[in-house]
Amino acid sequence: MLNTYKKNTTQIQGRLSVWLAKHQLAHRPLGFDYQGVEILQIRSENWLSIAVALYIYGFNYLRSQCAYDVAPGGLLASVYHFTKIQDNADQPEEICIKIFVSRQNPKIPSIFWIWKSADFQERESYDMLGIAYENHPRLKRILMPDTWIGWPLRKDYIVPDFYELQDAY
């Protein structure tokens, strides 16, 4: 088992990465996760053309989109998981896309117009981390009230008017 794991981690470029390179689409292979799903890093400015290429390649299902704060004061990441759904597929092909953006100007093109299921998922990432998904038709807060200040899932977020319990006595 250990040898198989080492063999998989040394191969950093998967089938989709080879296909994207063949078509001169900019990306950076990040290897594979523990289930063997290929992980690619895409720059924000290249995301729409890569997203269209993924759809043409057959990734017709956006399984999930999430975002996280990489480090306090550092980059923010938006992560997409796609699956290629076909008839009678018992092992559908999957791909993970990571897009890293600066927290000072976190903008990523929305893929809502390609995969409608990105609607609430991109809105939640906007609401919690402040990543602006450009050209999203309804990019507004979905979990927090409209009057909320800041982005609660950022690691450097300070809750406004928060007092420790011991200060209340």
Side-chain angles (χ1 to χ4, degrees), residues 9-157:
T9 56
T10 57
Q11 179 193 5
I12 197 148
Q13 194 172 27
R15 184 173 20 181
L16 185 61
S17 180
V18 170
W19 185 83
L20 290 171
K22 177 182 169 188
H23 291 90
Q24 299 178 348
L25 294 166
H27 69 287
R28 180 177 170 223
L30 297 177
F32 300 86
D33 71 5
Y34 72 100
Q35 293 180 317
V37 175
E38 188 175 3
I39 305 169
L40 301 177
Q41 179 181 344
I42 308 295
R43 296 181 65 132
S44 180
E45 58 269 17
N46 299 329
W47 178 220
L48 272 184
S49 59
I50 299 287
V52 170
L54 290 174
Y55 191 81
I56 291 168
Y57 187 81
F59 287 99
N60 51 5
Y61 177 60
L62 171 62
R63 193 174 64 202
S64 70
Q65 184 278 328
C66 63
Y68 65 94
D69 191 345
V70 177
L75 298 173
L76 302 173
S78 186
V79 182
Y80 296 84
H81 289 95
F82 296 99
T83 304
K84 190 187 264 191
I85 302 293
Q86 299 171 325
D87 291 339
N88 302 321
D90 59 337
Q91 291 284 326
E93 189 175 352
E94 299 176 38
I95 188 74
C96 174
I97 303 293
K98 292 187 177 189
I99 303 168
F100 297 98
V101 291
S102 163
R103 70 188 325 102
Q104 283 73 34
N105 190 21
K107 292 184 180 179
I108 297 173
S110 174
I111 58 166
F112 171 83
W113 303 106
I114 304 168
W115 292 278
K116 299 292 188 213
S117 59
D119 186 9
F120 287 172
Q121 297 177 62
E122 287 181 343
R123 284 179 59 190
E124 183 178 350
S125 294
Y126 165 73
D127 195 6
M128 295 288 105
L129 290 154
I131 298 173
Y133 293 90
E134 297 173 318
N135 297 317
H136 189 287
R138 293 176 291 280
L139 192 63
K140 60 183 182 177
R141 291 204 181 263
I142 191 169
L143 300 171
M144 305 302 288
D146 290 336
T147 57
W148 195 267
I149 298 170
W151 316 108
L153 288 186
R154 287 192 180 186
K155 291 181 179 174
D156 54 0
Y157 178 72

Side-chain angles (χ1 to χ4, degrees), residues 1-11:
M1 177 100 176
L2 185 60
N3 290 340
T4 306
Y5 180 73
K6 282 187 176 182
K7 184 178 177 184
N8 288 341
T9 56
T10 57
Q11 179 193 5

